Amino acid sequence: MSHNTFGHLFRVTTFGESHGPAIGCVVDGCPPLIAIEASEIQRELDRRKPGQSRFTTQRREADEVRILSGVFVDEASGQQITTGTPIGLLIENTDQRSKDYGDIKDKYRPGHADFTYDVKYGVRDYRGGGRASARETAMRVAAGAIARKVVPGLLVRGAVVQIGPHAVDRDRWDWDEVGRNPLFCPDAAMVPMLEDYLDGIRKDGSSVGAVVEVVAEGVPPGLGAPIYGKLDADIAAALMSINAVKGVEIGDGFAAATLRGEANADEIRRGNDGQALFLSNHAGGILGGLSTGQAIVARFAVKPTSSILTPRLTVDRQGHETDILTKGRHDPCVGLRAVPVGEAMVACVLADHYLRHRGQIGAVRAWP
Amino acid sequence: MSHNTFGHLFRVTTFGESHGPAIGCVVDGCPPLIAIEASEIQRELDRRKPGQSRFTTQRREADEVRILSGVFVDEASGQQITTGTPIGLLIENTDQRSKDYGDIKDKYRPGHADFTYDVKYGVRDYRGGGRASARETAMRVAAGAIARKVVPGLLVRGAVVQIGPHAVDRDRWDWDEVGRNPLFCPDAAMVPMLEDYLDGIRKDGSSVGAVVEVVAEGVPPGLGAPIYGKLDADIAAALMSINAVKGVEIGDGFAAATLRGEANADEIRRGNDGQALFLSNHAGGILGGLSTGQAIVARFAVKPTSSILTPRLTVDRQGHETDILTKGRHDPCVGLRAVPVGEAMVACVLADHYLRHRGQIGAVRAWP
Amino acid sequence: MSHNTFGHLFRVTTFGESHGPAIGCVVDGCPPLIAIEASEIQRELDRRKPGQSRFTTQRREADEVRILSGVFVDEASGQQITTGTPIGLLIENTDQRSKDYGDIKDKYRPGHADFTYDVKYGVRDYRGGGRASARETAMRVAAGAIARKVVPGLLVRGAVVQIGPHAVDRDRWDWDEVGRNPLFCPDAAMVPMLEDYLDGIRKDGSSVGAVVEVVAEGVPPGLGAPIYGKLDADIAAALMSINAVKGVEIGDGFAAATLRGEANADEIRRGNDGQALFLSNHAGGILGGLSTGQAIVARFAVKPTSSILTPRLTVDRQGHETDILTKGRHDPCVGLRAVPVGEAMVACVLADHYLRHRGQIGAVRAWP
Amino acid sequence: MSHNTFGHLFRVTTFGESHGPAIGCVVDGCPPLIAIEASEIQRELDRRKPGQSRFTTQRREADEVRILSGVFVDEASGQQITTGTPIGLLIENTDQRSKDYGDIKDKYRPGHADFTYDVKYGVRDYRGGGRASARETAMRVAAGAIARKVVPGLLVRGAVVQIGPHAVDRDRWDWDEVGRNPLFCPDAAMVPMLEDYLDGIRKDGSSVGAVVEVVAEGVPPGLGAPIYGKLDADIAAALMSINAVKGVEIGDGFAAATLRGEANADEIRRGNDGQALFLSNHAGGILGGLSTGQAIVARFAVKPTSSILTPRLTVDRQGHETDILTKGRHDPCVGLRAVPVGEAMVACVLADHYLRHRGQIGAVRAWP
């Protein structure tokens, strides 16, 4: 990962600012002969689109993606397939009328990247957060829609497991429920309470953090590239690169620090299929930086946005002390829309490692 | 990060297995004209060396580092300085006599990388964990000793902040205390209790996890490379790449998920030096992937080693079900020796970003 | 360089097929605060645009470039400046109507990439050569227009020095002449003869090769990254990556093989400015992979296109033997339009190394 | 390629100065289960070792290579095989006694990297050329010995095809002859004349350039990564990175510039094996940056060393004008010993692309 590109063999490069003419990305290294339609990418984009419920920002973004390159319609099947050349994706920003950006033009919003971009670059596109806006994550979701198809049999799903202090009950986990409520919550019983809680946050003009869990199933064993391209290290970087994320865990994560070795070891038996069968998954599907073949489990913590109605102390570009409050419609819990983003990042990392593994090893080998 | 190299402009490549002839690394991209003596590297190595107390493995490793290239004695000053060419470092493994490796040759230790290396590569050097051994981290510490000198004024320190369920009292934090006890603990009052606790773990032939905190001071503002080379993303990958690490946090980390936006925003004033003065550091010194100029605060969770005296269920290379217990002297808490390793990784990431920033920006600019 | 990205700190990623919806690129790592207008990029694009004379293909391409991101209008000056974020550039392909692609759909044109793309990917976009079309080089020229502004004082110019067997007379070299004739020829006296020669080639439905020379002046000494990021090695890769290029030389190039050491050594004096003054430039401005501060001189050989009216033996996708001739309007000498492309590649490599050097060294140092 | 590492999946990192304690390299990404003995690496090293004839420098270098990591003795077969972890290789410099380095300590040798290293880094290890010494190429040859085994069926051979103005007669080409004379010359009839010619050069204390050709057979079709990781671009960079190389050609190279399209097109038939059969190889086995399956043919020009007995004008580190002549025993034609180095570089590039191709494509596919 470097600058605005991530991945080694499956490489994603994004560009674009929140209120510029367009955002886009280039997916390079995707294998050929994979069927892909714009509608499949669009479907994932729609999952993170704002304005879908009262719990996300009311901004309207059409977010219609165009595939500009890297695909070709196979005449025999009529299917659109990848060609192995770079796939260019573009979303025009439909609403970029000039307007008054008010305070954010000159004042640094606490908890945002305003100050750091300015101190680094000496200039920043302040409109809607510019490059630092979460709008950039739309392109990650688009790239992830392609990545999901690179690893055969891969299933990557995510859910919100905590909003503010309220954690879901894992015994009531239902993946189907995640798509049925606007909170990406796997615990149906908890949704009404969480909705009430978020309504309160929203009415206060406040915001709150969340924890998101991503689970990847169908991951072949052996993916990863020790020592510095470990699968968990790459997932950690990928998730930490999402806006507002402050922590990443694999498997038991920080809870592992409290365990003894006896409890933490995932014991192994031989399954009916003749393959290794782990009796537990404290490790989150990764040992020594390599996938075990179990589900990969990653969680990340999303801080509350600082775009709130309560004034906060700050300084302006000229160094004068002042304060700022952020008007306009914002997400009371940005963690919600991070679910498809987190899924996409994990899918991209897995696609990359799948290709790297296949390069070094030749074929994903079965356990002896 | 990729394979066995990490960093872009300040690049570290390591090699070597636990019981092979030697371990080594190449530090590439280090600027010229930096004074460095082997003794300075050795001093850091000695901090992570095993056998220093009853709380670390009793293995003896001389760990004497040789500088093989990339330095030259300046005739004027008599000082050894870097030349800008790659710095080769080598530690011969002194104790590699052939011996009986017993169960670990054929059986997969749960919680270790035995199974995954074998399934990936079809072969593994099982002696002492081979490449997956924590012995590799000695070379990270060596590279980190050089990295510390690349960023002028940089101070990177680490401490153990939790052992098993026992967290230190941050109000009693004393950096000087960290070097005075074998637990890298900043809370003197807590040391006796923790020693007793670890003695119990050790006598049980068990192990326990820990949480380590690394704090970097003197970091210029603006370091980082959004969007996919964010400073926090690179630190997350670097720390997650350390053996047994299962979670990484920046600033408030997972606790940020429970906060409201009002509490989480780090308000800004103008300090006496005319620079930005933050009134708090929930962000851990990083906003939008760029350093703010505050202290960078990162924590990571280390799982307990599975090398314990209690038998655990497993299978062997032939797929037969069996069990295994790990004899020999092992660390009751591998998190302790992870402190200098964590420091080294953060120092390397900062050196890399310092050079990248200087390349793109020309010079670290002062805030207007 | 890897896949569709080149450069390390100044990174260019291109995408797009000849007859797809659009071609584009992302320029990542460009420093902030550089003034750049779309018209400056357009001016360079117009230099390589086809249809400008009877010696280039008569295809019409509007090639209107849009800047999609990475720039911002500075309010104080009204100037558009770079912001340090990735610069997205896009050219819509205006003429992509469905049509009969005839033979090239099924038959492999000798000397083209048809066979190799098919054997590698199992699919190819045959329309106009798809990704292998020289149309991709438009984006290199666009990126090069930005690169030229990264290195202060840099001047990169190119010229055709040989067409078929006819080499220019270097004693009559006139840079101003290059822009005045359609052959990019620096030797005015030779232009009429070369035009006659190319008219003959064109009327025969044939094609011919050429040699292009690129000269970069104003290059600070010390750019380059030995051992494997040598300036000449990166220039060689950059030029060899241009369509139809089969050879690259630095300075005396292959002629150096015939020289003795006495003749080849560029002797050094001290110039009036107190800096090193070289008495000759056999080395082409590069020693040990590092720039000397002299002009950098690189040449590359461009093969004749195989798109000719004389039938050539080949096979089709089904493996049947057949023959093919390429109708339609093609370049009699593709080397002509390679001049701005070669300049752009050299400019990009220099921008990249300028940033890398500045990162490692801090500032381009004056000679003691 | 970057700094001191080349390759993406098959990555080679070298370190070490001519007169430092040791030189070494790390070969990372080599697939597991490849049989390799130190003696196989040593055999290649011995081919480039100096002091083998009166036509190479009389310096004595034992050049005994040790494998420090990345291999394991398979118990079943007793064979030493790669494990997939990084392979560390080391050659101790046996003769590093302190001595008088005379003029080269303070004076810049024209045609050498003395000036450029000093101006870049502000310091240089002048002993024997330090990092810029051709001694570094020993590690390339060592890495190449491993690379040769990565691509099944690969055969990479090189020969000197021109010394000074004297080119070999390609009709008398005999690969077996190359190993029988000290000039790596494939034309037995020409050897006596060339030996006389070089004796004259040597007695004059002079030096002369050469051209080396490398031919790789058994290369699967489809290797390469367009657009910027083209096989020929990577080969060009790899060869240009060798000390003293000033030009690189693929196939017909610069001669292609003089050809017409009819002559240059390599026509295709269907061979008896059902695969594509090319009737000529002007392209040197690469079209569109991808291998065709034919032999890959690359040539590179090596300049004469400037280490000669005739004084040349120069300046010293203090900027004073002076002159210098280089005593001591040097190669009259450094191009000779570049043959195994060129072979090694091509082998490394092919190994890298083989793994990259296999990653993206899954398996090298047969032509339909």
Side-chain angles (χ1 to χ4, degrees):
Chain A
M1 286 204 189
S2 159
H3 295 316
N4 295 279
T5 297
F6 68 94
H8 290 254
L9 290 193
F10 186 88
R11 296 161 63 82
V12 178
T13 302
T14 72
F15 64 90
E17 277 84 28
S18 177
H19 286 57
I23 58 173
C25 79
V26 186
V27 177
D28 197 7
C30 182
L33 307 178
I34 294 176
I36 187 85
E37 299 292 335
S39 59
E40 294 174 282
I41 301 172
Q42 193 65 50
R43 191 170 57 227
E44 291 298 324
L45 283 169
D46 290 348
R47 289 179 64 219
R48 81 160 275 292
K49 200 159 68 170
Q52 312 260 60
S53 80
R54 67 185 185 278
F55 304 113
T56 59
T57 172
Q58 296 304 300
R59 261 180 295 118
R60 295 287 163 187
E61 297 172 350
D63 277 7
E64 267 181 50
V65 69
R66 289 170 65 202
I67 303 181
L68 298 181
S69 64
V71 295
F72 201 65
V73 176
D74 180 56
E75 287 171 19
S77 67
Q79 268 195 320
Q80 181 168 266
I81 55 173
T82 58
T83 60
T85 65
I87 303 169
L89 301 175
L90 195 76
I91 298 175
E92 304 265 351
N93 286 333
T94 48
D95 181 20
Q96 10 154 355
R97 66 180 182 281
S98 184
K99 61 176 179 180
D100 177 19
Y101 287 93
D103 280 356
I104 66 170
K105 183 180 148 194
D106 285 312
K107 296 179 181 178
Y108 299 128
R109 292 169 299 164
H112 278 283
D114 302 345
F115 168 74
T116 50
Y117 268 67
D118 225 7
V119 81
K120 182 182 186 77
Y121 297 118
V123 57
R124 73 195 157 97
D125 182 345
Y126 48 77
R127 302 168 303 167
R131 181 71 181 149
S133 164
R135 179 146 181 70
E136 185 270 345
T137 61
M139 298 320 304
R140 306 184 187 212
V141 170
I146 298 170
R148 288 169 193 267
K149 308 195 98 181
V150 169
V151 187
L154 179 66
L155 176 66
V156 181
R157 295 182 291 191
V160 169
V161 295
Q162 185 182 322
I163 294 178
H166 306 294
V168 303
D169 182 340
R170 303 184 79 92
D171 291 336
R172 291 193 299 251
W173 192 292
D174 176 4
W175 278 115
D176 291 335
E177 177 59 25
V178 174
R180 283 195 293 253
N181 66 72
L183 307 183
F184 293 87
C185 177
D187 174 356
M190 205 163 171
V191 171
M193 186 277 277
L194 289 172
E195 293 194 336
D196 285 350
Y197 173 72
L198 279 183
D199 274 332
I201 296 284
R202 189 167 55 83
K203 283 168 190 160
D204 293 351
S206 183
S207 63
V208 74
V211 177
V212 174
E213 180 165 317
V214 177
V215 178
E217 293 168 277
V219 179
L223 301 199
I227 300 293
Y228 300 115
K230 282 180 174 172
L231 189 55
D232 37 1
D234 277 6
I235 289 174
L239 296 177
M240 193 67 94
S241 77
I242 300 172
N243 311 48
V245 171
K246 301 304 287 184
V248 179
E249 295 184 318
I250 304 293
D252 281 3
F254 277 86
T258 66
L259 294 181
R260 283 183 166 225
E262 298 79 19
N264 185 65
D266 297 312
E267 295 183 303
I268 319 175
R269 298 283 80 188
R270 183 155 188 146
N272 293 330
D273 59 356
Q275 298 299 307
L277 174 71
F278 290 86
L279 302 183
S280 56
N281 192 10
H282 296 284
I286 301 175
L287 286 173
L290 303 172
S291 62
T292 62
Q294 296 173 275
I296 288 176
V297 180
R299 269 180 308 284
F300 56 98
V302 185
K303 72 177 184 184
T305 175
S306 305
S307 298
I308 50 177
L309 285 176
T310 306
R312 297 282 90 188
L313 302 177
T314 191
V315 295
D316 64 18
R317 290 198 79 192
Q318 286 70 42
H320 303 127
E321 299 192 339
T322 179
D323 61 21
I324 189 168
L325 65 81
T326 312
K327 281 167 284 192
R329 289 170 297 188
H330 286 279
D331 288 280
C333 180
V334 287
L336 305 186
R337 287 167 58 215
V339 172
V341 182
E343 290 172 15
M345 294 308 285
V346 170
C348 286
V349 169
L350 289 169
D352 188 34
H353 274 286
Y354 180 75
L355 301 183
R356 290 160 78 177
H357 179 71
R358 201 161 64 170
Q360 196 185 1
I361 306 300
V364 177
R365 69 183 67 218
W367 189 47
Chain B
M1 287 204 190
S2 159
H3 295 315
N4 294 280
T5 297
F6 68 94
H8 290 255
L9 289 194
F10 185 88
R11 297 159 63 81
V12 178
T13 302
T14 72
F15 64 90
E17 278 83 28
S18 176
H19 287 56
I23 59 173
C25 79
V26 186
V27 177
D28 197 7
C30 182
L33 307 179
I34 294 176
I36 186 85
E37 298 293 335
S39 59
E40 294 173 281
I41 301 172
Q42 193 64 51
R43 190 169 58 228
E44 292 298 323
L45 284 169
D46 289 348
R47 290 179 63 220
R48 81 161 273 294
K49 200 160 66 171
Q52 314 258 60
S53 79
R54 68 185 184 277
F55 304 114
T56 58
T57 172
Q58 296 304 301
R59 260 180 296 120
R60 296 285 161 188
E61 297 172 350
D63 276 9
E64 267 181 50
V65 68
R66 287 170 66 202
I67 303 180
L68 297 181
S69 64
V71 295
F72 200 66
V73 176
D74 180 55
E75 286 171 21
S77 66
Q79 268 194 321
Q80 182 167 266
I81 55 174
T82 59
T83 60
T85 64
I87 303 169
L89 302 175
L90 196 77
I91 299 176
E92 305 265 352
N93 286 332
T94 47
D95 180 20
Q96 13 155 353
R97 66 181 181 281
S98 184
K99 60 176 179 179
D100 177 20
Y101 287 94
D103 280 356
I104 66 170
K105 182 180 148 194
D106 284 311
K107 296 179 180 178
Y108 300 128
R109 292 169 297 165
H112 278 282
D114 301 346
F115 168 73
T116 50
Y117 268 67
D118 224 9
V119 82
K120 182 181 187 79
Y121 297 117
V123 57
R124 73 193 158 96
D125 182 345
Y126 47 77
R127 301 168 302 168
R131 180 70 181 149
S133 164
R135 177 142 182 73
E136 186 270 345
T137 61
M139 297 321 304
R140 307 185 186 211
V141 171
I146 298 170
R148 289 169 192 266
K149 308 195 97 178
V150 169
V151 187
L154 178 67
L155 176 65
V156 182
R157 294 182 290 190
V160 170
V161 295
Q162 187 181 322
I163 294 179
H166 306 294
V168 303
D169 182 341
R170 304 184 78 90
D171 290 336
R172 291 194 298 251
W173 192 292
D174 176 3
W175 279 115
D176 291 335
E177 176 60 25
V178 174
R180 283 196 291 254
N181 66 71
L183 307 183
F184 293 88
C185 178
D187 174 357
M190 206 163 171
V191 170
M193 186 277 278
L194 289 173
E195 292 193 338
D196 286 350
Y197 173 71
L198 280 183
D199 274 331
I201 297 284
R202 189 167 53 85
K203 283 167 189 160
D204 292 351
S206 183
S207 64
V208 74
V211 177
V212 174
E213 180 165 317
V214 176
V215 178
E217 293 168 277
V219 179
L223 300 200
I227 299 292
Y228 301 114
K230 283 180 174 172
L231 189 55
D232 36 1
D234 277 6
I235 289 174
L239 296 177
M240 193 67 94
S241 77
I242 300 172
N243 310 48
V245 171
K246 301 304 287 183
V248 179
E249 298 184 318
I250 305 293
D252 281 4
F254 277 86
T258 66
L259 295 181
R260 282 184 165 224
E262 298 79 17
N264 185 65
D266 296 311
E267 295 184 303
I268 319 177
R269 299 282 81 187
R270 182 154 189 146
N272 293 332
D273 59 356
Q275 297 301 306
L277 174 71
F278 290 86
L279 302 183
S280 56
N281 193 10
H282 297 285
I286 302 175
L287 286 172
L290 302 173
S291 61
T292 61
Q294 296 173 274
I296 288 175
V297 181
R299 269 181 307 284
F300 56 99
V302 185
K303 72 178 184 185
T305 176
S306 305
S307 298
I308 49 176
L309 285 176
T310 307
R312 299 282 87 189
L313 301 178
T314 192
V315 295
D316 64 18
R317 291 198 78 193
Q318 286 69 41
H320 302 127
E321 300 192 337
T322 179
D323 62 20
I324 189 168
L325 65 82
T326 312
K327 282 166 284 190
R329 290 170 296 189
H330 287 280
D331 288 279
C333 181
V334 287
L336 304 187
R337 287 168 56 215
V339 172
V341 182
E343 292 171 12
M345 294 309 284
V346 170
C348 287
V349 170
L350 289 169
D352 189 32
H353 274 286
Y354 179 76
L355 301 183
R356 291 159 79 177
H357 179 73
R358 200 162 64 169
Q360 196 185 2
I361 306 300
V364 177
R365 68 182 69 217
W367 190 48
Chain C
M1 286 204 190
S2 159
H3 296 315
N4 294 279
T5 296
F6 69 94
H8 290 255
L9 289 194
F10 186 87
R11 296 160 63 82
V12 179
T13 301
T14 72
F15 63 90
E17 278 83 28
S18 177
H19 286 56
I23 58 173
C25 78
V26 186
V27 177
D28 196 7
C30 182
L33 307 179
I34 295 177
I36 186 85
E37 298 292 335
S39 59
E40 294 174 281
I41 301 172
Q42 193 64 50
R43 191 169 57 227
E44 291 297 323
L45 283 169
D46 290 347
R47 290 180 64 220
R48 81 161 274 293
K49 199 160 66 170
Q52 312 259 59
S53 81
R54 67 185 184 279
F55 304 114
T56 58
T57 173
Q58 295 304 302
R59 260 180 297 120
R60 296 287 162 187
E61 297 172 350
D63 276 7
E64 268 181 50
V65 70
R66 288 169 67 203
I67 303 180
L68 297 181
S69 64
V71 296
F72 200 66
V73 177
D74 180 56
E75 287 171 20
S77 67
Q79 268 195 320
Q80 181 167 267
I81 54 173
T82 58
T83 60
T85 64
I87 303 169
L89 302 174
L90 196 77
I91 299 176
E92 305 265 352
N93 287 332
T94 48
D95 180 20
Q96 12 153 354
R97 65 181 182 282
S98 184
K99 62 175 177 180
D100 177 19
Y101 288 93
D103 280 356
I104 66 169
K105 182 180 148 194
D106 284 312
K107 296 179 181 178
Y108 299 127
R109 293 169 296 166
H112 278 283
D114 302 346
F115 168 74
T116 49
Y117 268 68
D118 226 7
V119 81
K120 183 181 186 78
Y121 298 117
V123 57
R124 73 194 158 98
D125 182 345
Y126 48 78
R127 301 169 303 168
R131 181 70 182 149
S133 165
R135 180 146 181 70
E136 186 270 345
T137 61
M139 297 321 305
R140 306 184 187 211
V141 171
I146 298 170
R148 288 169 194 268
K149 309 195 95 179
V150 169
V151 187
L154 178 67
L155 176 64
V156 182
R157 294 182 292 191
V160 169
V161 295
Q162 185 181 322
I163 295 177
H166 307 293
V168 303
D169 182 340
R170 305 185 78 89
D171 291 336
R172 293 194 297 254
W173 192 292
D174 176 2
W175 279 115
D176 290 335
E177 178 59 25
V178 174
R180 284 195 292 253
N181 67 71
L183 308 183
F184 294 88
C185 178
D187 174 356
M190 205 163 173
V191 170
M193 186 278 277
L194 288 172
E195 292 193 337
D196 285 351
Y197 173 72
L198 279 183
D199 274 332
I201 297 283
R202 189 168 55 85
K203 283 167 190 161
D204 292 351
S206 183
S207 64
V208 73
V211 177
V212 174
E213 180 165 316
V214 176
V215 178
E217 293 168 278
V219 179
L223 301 200
I227 300 293
Y228 301 113
K230 281 180 174 171
L231 189 56
D232 37 1
D234 276 6
I235 289 173
L239 296 177
M240 192 67 95
S241 77
I242 300 172
N243 311 49
V245 171
K246 301 304 287 184
V248 179
E249 296 184 318
I250 305 293
D252 281 3
F254 278 86
T258 67
L259 295 180
R260 281 183 166 226
E262 297 79 16
N264 185 65
D266 297 312
E267 294 183 304
I268 320 176
R269 298 282 81 187
R270 181 156 190 145
N272 293 332
D273 59 355
Q275 297 301 306
L277 174 71
F278 289 86
L279 303 183
S280 56
N281 192 9
H282 297 284
I286 301 175
L287 285 173
L290 303 173
S291 61
T292 62
Q294 296 173 275
I296 287 176
V297 181
R299 270 180 309 284
F300 57 98
V302 185
K303 72 177 183 184
T305 175
S306 305
S307 298
I308 50 176
L309 285 177
T310 307
R312 298 282 88 189
L313 301 177
T314 193
V315 295
D316 65 17
R317 290 198 79 193
Q318 287 69 42
H320 302 127
E321 300 193 337
T322 180
D323 62 19
I324 189 167
L325 65 81
T326 312
K327 282 167 285 193
R329 291 170 295 191
H330 286 280
D331 289 279
C333 181
V334 287
L336 304 186
R337 286 167 58 215
V339 172
V341 182
E343 292 172 12
M345 294 309 284
V346 170
C348 286
V349 170
L350 289 169
D352 189 32
H353 274 285
Y354 179 75
L355 301 183
R356 290 159 80 178
H357 179 72
R358 198 162 63 171
Q360 196 186 2
I361 306 300
V364 178
R365 69 182 68 216
W367 190 47
Chain D
M1 285 204 192
S2 157
H3 296 313
N4 294 279
T5 296
F6 68 95
H8 290 255
L9 289 193
F10 186 88
R11 297 160 63 81
V12 179
T13 302
T14 72
F15 64 90
E17 279 82 28
S18 177
H19 287 57
I23 58 174
C25 78
V26 186
V27 177
D28 196 7
C30 182
L33 307 179
I34 295 177
I36 185 84
E37 298 292 336
S39 59
E40 294 173 282
I41 301 172
Q42 192 64 49
R43 190 170 57 229
E44 292 298 324
L45 283 169
D46 290 346
R47 289 180 64 220
R48 80 162 275 292
K49 199 159 68 169
Q52 314 258 59
S53 81
R54 66 184 185 277
F55 304 113
T56 58
T57 173
Q58 296 304 301
R59 259 180 297 119
R60 296 286 161 187
E61 298 172 350
D63 277 7
E64 266 180 52
V65 69
R66 288 169 68 201
I67 304 181
L68 298 181
S69 64
V71 295
F72 200 66
V73 177
D74 180 54
E75 288 172 19
S77 68
Q79 269 194 319
Q80 182 167 267
I81 55 174
T82 58
T83 61
T85 65
I87 302 169
L89 301 175
L90 196 77
I91 298 176
E92 305 265 351
N93 286 333
T94 47
D95 180 19
Q96 12 154 355
R97 66 181 182 281
S98 185
K99 61 176 178 180
D100 177 20
Y101 288 94
D103 280 357
I104 66 171
K105 182 181 148 193
D106 284 312
K107 296 180 181 176
Y108 299 127
R109 292 169 298 165
H112 278 282
D114 302 345
F115 168 75
T116 49
Y117 268 68
D118 224 7
V119 81
K120 183 182 187 78
Y121 298 116
V123 58
R124 73 193 158 97
D125 182 344
Y126 47 76
R127 301 168 303 166
R131 181 72 182 148
S133 164
R135 179 144 181 71
E136 185 271 343
T137 61
M139 298 321 304
R140 306 184 187 213
V141 171
I146 299 169
R148 289 169 193 266
K149 309 196 97 181
V150 169
V151 187
L154 179 67
L155 177 65
V156 182
R157 294 182 292 192
V160 169
V161 295
Q162 185 182 321
I163 294 178
H166 307 295
V168 302
D169 183 340
R170 304 184 78 89
D171 291 335
R172 291 194 298 252
W173 192 293
D174 177 3
W175 279 115
D176 290 335
E177 177 59 26
V178 174
R180 283 196 291 253
N181 67 71
L183 307 183
F184 293 89
C185 177
D187 175 355
M190 205 163 174
V191 170
M193 187 277 277
L194 289 173
E195 292 193 337
D196 285 350
Y197 173 72
L198 280 183
D199 275 330
I201 296 283
R202 190 167 53 84
K203 283 167 190 161
D204 292 352
S206 183
S207 64
V208 75
V211 177
V212 174
E213 180 165 317
V214 177
V215 178
E217 294 168 276
V219 179
L223 301 199
I227 301 293
Y228 300 115
K230 282 181 174 171
L231 189 55
D232 36 2
D234 277 5
I235 289 174
L239 296 177
M240 193 67 94
S241 77
I242 299 172
N243 310 48
V245 171
K246 301 305 287 185
V248 179
E249 297 184 318
I250 304 293
D252 281 4
F254 277 86
T258 66
L259 294 180
R260 281 184 166 225
E262 298 80 18
N264 185 66
D266 297 312
E267 294 183 302
I268 320 176
R269 298 284 80 186
R270 182 156 189 145
N272 292 332
D273 59 355
Q275 297 301 306
L277 174 70
F278 290 86
L279 302 183
S280 56
N281 193 9
H282 297 284
I286 302 174
L287 286 173
L290 302 172
S291 61
T292 62
Q294 296 173 273
I296 288 175
V297 181
R299 268 180 309 284
F300 57 98
V302 185
K303 72 177 185 185
T305 175
S306 305
S307 299
I308 49 177
L309 285 177
T310 307
R312 299 282 88 189
L313 301 177
T314 192
V315 294
D316 64 18
R317 292 198 78 192
Q318 286 70 42
H320 303 127
E321 300 193 338
T322 180
D323 63 19
I324 189 168
L325 66 81
T326 312
K327 283 166 285 191
R329 291 170 294 189
H330 286 278
D331 288 279
C333 180
V334 286
L336 305 186
R337 287 167 57 215
V339 172
V341 181
E343 292 173 13
M345 293 309 284
V346 170
C348 286
V349 170
L350 289 169
D352 189 32
H353 274 287
Y354 179 76
L355 301 184
R356 290 160 79 177
H357 179 72
R358 199 161 65 169
Q360 197 185 1
I361 306 301
V364 179
R365 68 183 67 219
W367 190 46

